[in-house]
Amino acid sequence: MRMQKDIINIKINRPSAAIYNSVKSSWDHISKPLDGLGDFEELICRIAAIQETETPVILKRAAVIYCADNGIVKEGISQSSKDITLSVAKALGSGISSACTLAGHAGVEIIPVDVGIDCEEKIPGVRDMKVSKGTRNFLKEPAMTLEETLRAIDCGINLVKELSEQGYGIISTGEMGIGNTTTSAAVLACLLQIDSDTVTGRGAGLDDDGLSRKRQVIKTAINKYPDRNNFGELERDDDTGKHSVLEILRTLGGLDIAALTGTFIGGAIYHIPIVIDGLISATAALIAERLIPGVKDYMIASHAGRESGCLLALQELGLRPYIEGNMALGEGTGALMLFPLIDMVFDFYKNAAKFSDYEIDEYKRF
């Protein structure tokens, strides 16, 4: 397992500017107005730059979906019991969940991972990378120990390394865990230095009383740990600030968020673009960037999400989502929906007619 100093001292190289510019030039030779496909042209440029090749690999792709339980569920912050986490994990393993259905059309391999389900059984079709059987109730005590937090981050990094060695060219993120919109809202509020009510939504469908309870639990928990409010440390690009980010994750986060954090870091280490899904993975993406500046250059934002915190996290990262959609299905489904768009744009990039095919003049940049 990587130690704390090993993680915070990781250095990231930027994606290839030369490859980016070369692919951008190729776009300009295609018979269309300059930047006619807008952000989607840049998307192909970024994927190529990350992979450091003008012919990026996009057809071998996977969605890693981390499943974990959260002790904060004991506080009645969800309309669902924690048993749903195990049930959906089993559906992921057997290929019948929502994500599996969408992935079948999108040509994406689903890799469900048990990083912290509160159960003893080994789930068929689900990778066993369990760190612990769920987290603790962060209203009463810190959600994780530092060792558990680091082990979960390490799981994410190691899984990306494994997939890289197997030739996967792009990975999307997802999660399943009852209570994880509560953990992510608490973490995100601290990272962004804002009132937690701003990023606390209804999750899978809370009524007004449930939402009020959820907001109060988060606010009380944040105030329980006074050092979480030392926001000034978070803006510093030094080890003190990075330790503060890890403490926020450890105290208020979840094993799924920690593993997702490692996945984003792994993408930057092994030059694989990682697709952000919704609120939970966007929160993990922001943690990863705060821990290892430069990781965001390897991230792709898929959709804006229904939870307000998702877009706020993406804005902090300087990333724009490609899909609106008002989605909140979970399991990484929003990220999966980006793949057919990537395929369409990449096919256009490879096969569309060039200006030379028409024997007409190209557009000029001014």
Side-chain angles (χ1 to χ4, degrees):
M1 183 188 77
R2 291 173 179 83
M3 303 302 291
Q4 181 172 343
K5 62 180 177 60
D6 298 326
I7 290 175
I8 65 177
N9 289 328
I10 291 173
K11 302 299 182 185
I12 300 299
N13 296 320
R14 299 198 66 178
S16 171
I19 296 292
Y20 182 100
N21 292 332
S22 179
V23 174
K24 187 63 179 172
S25 177
S26 295
W27 273 115
D28 290 351
H29 294 308
I30 294 174
S31 181
K32 61 171 181 56
L34 294 175
D35 305 324
L37 284 177
D39 294 341
F40 290 101
E41 293 189 22
E42 183 196 32
L43 176 57
I44 302 303
C45 294
R46 291 193 62 218
I47 292 173
I50 289 169
Q51 295 185 4
E52 298 184 315
T53 173
E54 294 181 29
T55 55
V57 176
I58 65 167
L59 292 182
K60 188 166 185 179
R61 61 269 195 114
V64 292
I65 303 176
Y66 296 102
C67 305
D69 279 305
N70 300 282
I72 196 64
V73 168
K74 296 175 183 177
E75 299 300 325
I77 47 75
S78 172
Q79 66 168 309
S80 303
S81 69
K82 72 179 181 63
D83 298 336
I84 300 299
T85 304
L86 177 58
S87 296
V88 175
K90 289 180 176 179
L92 285 162
S94 60
I96 63 171
S97 75
S98 300
C100 295
T101 302
L102 289 172
H105 178 80
V108 181
E109 180 182 350
I110 295 291
I111 302 177
V113 180
D114 175 3
V115 73
I117 304 174
D118 188 7
C119 71
E120 296 286 352
E121 63 186 287
K122 305 298 183 185
I123 309 168
V126 177
R127 290 282 300 270
D128 182 9
M129 302 180 80
K130 194 192 297 284
V131 173
S132 67
K133 292 190 291 183
T135 57
R136 298 159 190 82
N137 180 350
F138 69 65
L139 186 64
K140 308 296 185 184
E141 58 183 318
M144 297 173 282
T145 65
L146 179 59
E147 180 184 359
E148 289 167 342
T149 307
L150 295 174
R151 282 180 60 197
I153 292 174
D154 212 33
C155 284
I157 296 174
N158 290 337
L159 186 51
V160 174
K161 180 178 186 292
E162 176 185 327
L163 294 176
S164 173
E165 291 170 347
Q166 294 174 6
Y168 288 85
I170 184 169
I171 299 170
S172 69
T173 55
E175 35 60 39
M176 177 58 214
I178 300 303
N180 61 9
T181 60
T182 298
T183 56
S184 53
V187 169
L188 189 59
C190 291
L191 292 175
L192 296 180
Q193 310 174 32
I194 58 177
D195 185 341
S196 57
D197 286 358
T198 305
V199 292
T200 305
R202 297 181 185 273
L206 287 173
D207 59 17
D208 289 345
D209 289 342
L211 178 59
S212 178
R213 171 64 178 165
K214 181 177 179 179
R215 285 175 171 170
Q216 186 57 53
V217 166
I218 291 173
K219 198 177 292 287
T220 301
I222 289 175
N223 290 332
K224 179 181 175 66
Y225 307 103
D227 51 333
R228 299 294 75 70
N229 295 320
N230 189 9
F231 295 127
E233 297 292 344
L234 301 181
E235 299 302 317
R236 294 168 52 186
D237 184 19
D238 61 14
D239 286 354
T240 303
K242 293 177 181 181
H243 292 323
S244 296
V245 172
L246 273 176
E247 274 297 287
I248 290 171
L249 173 59
R250 181 187 78 85
T251 306
L252 300 168
L255 292 161
D256 52 353
I257 299 176
L260 286 164
T261 298
T263 301
F264 289 112
I265 294 172
I269 294 173
Y270 299 107
H271 287 256
I272 295 182
I274 309 293
V275 182
I276 302 170
D277 180 47
L279 173 66
I280 293 89
S281 66
T283 299
L286 184 56
I287 294 170
E289 173 62 22
R290 292 286 179 87
L291 288 175
I292 316 293
V295 169
K296 66 181 180 181
D297 293 334
Y298 292 81
M299 302 174 186
I300 296 170
S302 61
H303 70 112
R306 185 178 303 166
E307 299 271 341
S308 61
C310 180
L311 199 53
L312 290 175
L314 295 180
Q315 289 170 345
E316 183 72 10
L317 288 165
L319 299 173
R320 290 187 296 179
Y322 293 91
I323 304 171
E324 291 291 338
N326 193 34
M327 291 179 285
L329 180 54
E331 300 177 38
T333 49
L336 288 170
M337 293 183 72
L338 182 62
F339 283 102
L341 288 171
I342 294 175
D343 289 341
M344 185 183 299
V345 177
F346 189 57
D347 181 74
F348 184 86
Y349 170 72
K350 291 189 300 179
N351 298 314
K354 308 296 191 292
F355 281 105
S356 57
D357 297 326
Y358 289 97
E359 297 183 354
I360 58 177
D361 292 337
E362 297 183 5
Y363 288 96
K364 303 298 183 184
R365 287 193 178 273
F366 297 102

